[in-house]
Amino acid sequence: MRGRGRARRPSGRERHDEKITVYVSAEELMDLEHARLVLRGEHGLAVDRGRVVREAVAVVLADLEQRGEASILVRRLRGR
């Protein structure tokens, strides 16, 4: 797997050259916005939704690299 053994870091706040489009439900979008507001209101972190998503992706991919079959991503995709 790419990057095995290194700390996975999200790109943070910078201009990005690559783009993907992800469709989410209205409920998922509200959950994402709620998380952004909690981060700002309760933790003093003013971040946009894209940053939250990049951080979440980095966490899930690092977990997959470290734990493989036991990772949260594998378990959730298998419905466990």
Side-chain angles (χ1 to χ4, degrees):
M1 204 175 253
R2 183 180 82 80
R4 195 171 224 12
R6 70 171 172 86
R8 183 174 295 279
R9 300 292 309 167
S11 57
R13 189 174 180 95
E14 62 184 54
R15 179 167 166 69
H16 295 89
D17 295 327
E18 304 300 327
K19 178 182 176 181
I20 65 169
T21 300
V22 177
Y23 293 93
V24 298
S25 69
E27 183 178 6
E28 290 166 332
L29 184 58
M30 292 298 293
D31 289 345
L32 182 55
E33 185 63 18
H34 180 259
R36 188 188 70 78
L37 292 171
V38 167
L39 288 167
R40 183 177 186 153
E42 296 181 20
H43 305 286
L45 297 169
V47 295
D48 60 27
R49 292 181 304 214
R51 176 76 185 274
V52 174
V53 169
R54 287 190 301 277
E55 291 287 345
V57 167
V59 167
V60 169
L61 294 179
D63 182 57
L64 176 62
E65 286 182 5
Q66 291 173 352
R67 301 182 67 212
E69 189 76 18
S71 70
I72 189 72
L73 183 59
V74 171
R75 288 182 298 155
R76 287 182 62 105
L77 291 173
R78 288 198 169 136
R80 291 189 244 151

